[in-house]
Amino acid sequence: MQRTKVKDLLSGAAAGQDVLLKGWVRTKRGNKYVNFIAVNDGSTINNIQVVADANNFSEEALKDVTTGAAVSISGELVASQGKGQAFEVQAKTIEVLGKADPEAYPLQKKAHSLEFLREIAHLRFRTNTFGAVFRVRNTLAFAVHRFFNEKGFVYMHTPIITASDAEGAGEMFRVTTLDPINPPKTEDGQVNYTEDFFGKATNLTVSGQLEGELAAMAFSDIYTFGPTFRAENSNTTRHLAEFWMIEPEMAFYDLKMNADLAEEFIKYIIRYALENNREDIEFLGQRLTEEDKAKPQNERQEMTLLEKLEFVVNNDFERVTYTEAIDILLNSNHYKKKKFQYDVKWGIDLQSEHERYLVEKHFKKPVIVTDYPKDIKAFYMRLNDDGKTVAAMDILAPGIGEIVGGSQREERLDILVERMKGVGIHEEDLWWYLDTRRFGGCPHAGFGLGFERMVQFVTGMGNIRDVIPFPRTPQNAEF
């Protein structure tokens, strides 16, 4: 007999038939007449109840059917007599495929803190919360590819190992095969990377953008979706050392077209998750509402998770320039009452508290901020006619701040070279990038969306470490 997944069993399509169910025991309860076993196989947040009649199964036969055990159960799918589920399985055979010692198994019926579950990340998938989070993550990832495929974009795999620093931040992980204790040295005492595997200093990538631009100059519309790395010694709820980025690059796009595409993209993947993972999102929303009850009234969410997501999908994003955003902040009661931790003035890089004020307090909707000062943005962003700002955009979302960063790229060779000089990047290091401006260059634009931040937004999880299977953070590379 072929196994049927719990999600399909609960639809009732096989009612009245014998079925084969395999999964893991969530709970077992019963009396001398009957045992009720809740089984989950990860296909849905819901368990299916298995009824084991004491006339057919002795206490000895069920002694290893404990929380966490893997089981194979055959029986008839019938309408449930109890509350909470429409269908249940009347067991005919129960086989324990893998035992779970109840004295040692760390996931029991009681609630566990998210901090504790991070310590057992190899098992946390089996909880309702993380089952829901990672099913939503899976759906969002599929929706990303679906969106770009429907628009005719080419999926491009950009390198994980690179010799360039797209962001100019310098916080990169070194990739080397040299002896860490006694590496070869140059005459002036520096590490001699010409003897390294690649013949030069290389790192794990912080972005696939620069290589993506090369492909856009041939295919017009491309996107990347892969892992990126930052060696930033940050232990906040918003940062990871390893995370995933979605980076489309489009030839013949200006900044407005770029912002329009990003807004359409965000709405599309959220809508897709709402349509395909509503039960998971409802569960996570209930969890968030319960969390909120423990907070002071002024810190509670104004909307439920479902309301927030539907609001984003159904409303246009607000669009303001950076200069307008600074004026809003300077004129706010929040600023006048000195409630901001960081100062506000033209030229600053907006902090998370500023971004969240604009989104959550002032506009109460996602905001696209454009035209940032050139001195706080990357060298490749197109210089505006005022000479002070660049054609950049950030999309700010409720709860987490920046979720998308993008720009129209600088296609003018002379200005790009000057900008590179200004940040200390040598022409010879990016000769291949400059060639795209020398040979058939054109106006083009792109953006990057941090996938984990999007998963955070859709699931309502407060810590970014809880939306990636195995978080990589300072002093933590377990599992």
Side-chain angles (χ1 to χ4, degrees), residues 346-359:
W346 199 94
I348 65 161
D349 200 355
L350 293 177
Q351 299 294 321
S352 179
E353 61 175 349
H354 304 140
E355 295 171 341
R356 291 186 63 174
Y357 178 85
L358 292 168
V359 171

Side-chain angles (χ1 to χ4, degrees), residues 213-266:
E213 285 187 55
L214 312 185
M217 292 300 102
F219 298 106
S220 295
D221 301 322
I222 70 96
Y223 74 104
T224 76
F225 186 4
T228 50
F229 308 85
R230 299 274 170 89
E232 185 178 357
N233 190 16
S234 179
N235 266 307
T236 75
T237 58
R238 300 174 69 243
H239 291 92
L240 291 165
E242 175 186 284
F243 53 99
W244 287 67
M245 286 285 288
I246 299 143
E247 297 175 290
E249 290 291 328
M250 296 76 63
F252 316 114
Y253 265 56
D254 61 18
L255 185 64
K256 182 182 182 302
M257 296 163 72
N258 196 30
D260 289 344
L261 181 76
E263 180 174 346
E264 182 187 358
F265 170 58
I266 288 170

Side-chain angles (χ1 to χ4, degrees), residues 32 55 59 104 161 332 360 373 447:
K32 62 182 179 180
N55 291 325
E59 189 176 326
I161 299 172
S332 70
E360 296 166 26
F447 62 84

Side-chain angles (χ1 to χ4, degrees), residues 395-437:
I395 299 183
L396 314 179
I400 51 176
E402 182 194 338
I403 198 167
V404 163
S407 72
Q408 185 172 337
R409 314 311 190 191
E410 183 57 80
E411 85 280 9
R412 298 163 295 186
L413 179 62
D414 55 341
I415 296 176
L416 180 59
V417 169
E418 280 303 308
R419 293 275 283 140
M420 286 169 58
K421 285 179 182 174
V423 295
I425 298 175
H426 301 294
E427 287 184 56
E428 55 269 26
D429 292 337
L430 288 180
W431 62 271
W432 45 272
Y433 184 68
L434 295 174
D435 269 2
T436 58
R437 277 65 176 173

Side-chain angles (χ1 to χ4, degrees), residues 27-265:
T27 60
K28 185 181 77 171
R29 60 185 175 82
N31 51 47
K32 62 182 179 180
Y33 303 109
V34 66
N35 278 279
F36 300 100
I37 306 162
V39 178
N40 189 286
D41 65 359
S43 61
T44 170
I45 195 164
N46 299 306
N47 306 323
I48 191 160
Q49 179 170 277
V50 175
V51 180
D53 194 301
N55 291 325
N56 301 325
F57 300 94
S58 66
E59 189 176 326
E60 176 66 20
L62 298 179
K63 68 178 175 62
D64 291 329
V65 180
T66 59
T67 299
V71 292
S72 174
I73 297 170
S74 65
E76 185 182 358
L77 183 69
V78 299
S80 178
Q81 301 303 307
K83 294 180 180 178
Q85 66 281 317
F87 298 94
E88 63 189 22
V89 174
Q90 295 281 351
K92 293 181 178 178
T93 68
I94 298 176
E95 180 187 359
V96 176
L97 302 176
K99 298 178 184 180
D101 180 356
E103 298 299 318
Y105 186 58
L107 295 175
Q108 295 299 324
K109 197 173 181 181
K110 66 176 184 177
H112 299 287
S113 72
L114 297 179
E115 291 80 5
F116 170 72
L117 292 173
R118 271 176 230 133
E119 295 173 8
I120 54 166
H122 58 305
L123 296 174
R124 66 178 180 168
F125 304 120
R126 302 190 195 186
T127 65
N128 282 339
T129 296
F130 287 97
V133 166
F134 290 111
R135 275 188 298 273
V136 171
R137 182 183 171 109
N138 168 71
T139 296
L140 289 171
F142 182 79
V144 168
H145 292 296
R146 197 170 184 261
F147 174 83
F148 288 117
N149 188 60
E150 288 176 3
K151 288 194 165 292
F153 277 59
V154 174
Y155 179 29
M156 189 62 55
H157 293 145
T158 52
I160 290 174
I161 299 172
T162 178
S164 62
D165 177 0
E167 299 298 323
E171 296 170 324
M172 305 179 75
F173 289 102
R174 182 78 71 207
V175 176
T176 180
T177 58
L178 296 179
D179 184 337
I181 297 172
N182 189 28
K185 300 285 184 68
T186 60
E187 288 182 2
D188 60 358
Q190 301 296 311
V191 175
N192 186 359
Y193 286 106
T194 62
E195 295 189 29
D196 206 347
F197 185 90
F198 294 105
K200 60 172 68 176
T202 52
N203 313 285
L204 295 178
T205 186
V206 298
S207 168
Q209 179 204 316
L210 301 188
E211 293 87 353
E213 285 187 55
L214 312 185
M217 292 300 102
F219 298 106
S220 295
D221 301 322
I222 70 96
Y223 74 104
T224 76
F225 186 4
T228 50
F229 308 85
R230 299 274 170 89
E232 185 178 357
N233 190 16
S234 179
N235 266 307
T236 75
T237 58
R238 300 174 69 243
H239 291 92
L240 291 165
E242 175 186 284
F243 53 99
W244 287 67
M245 286 285 288
I246 299 143
E247 297 175 290
E249 290 291 328
M250 296 76 63
F252 316 114
Y253 265 56
D254 61 18
L255 185 64
K256 182 182 182 302
M257 296 163 72
N258 196 30
D260 289 344
L261 181 76
E263 180 174 346
E264 182 187 358
F265 170 58

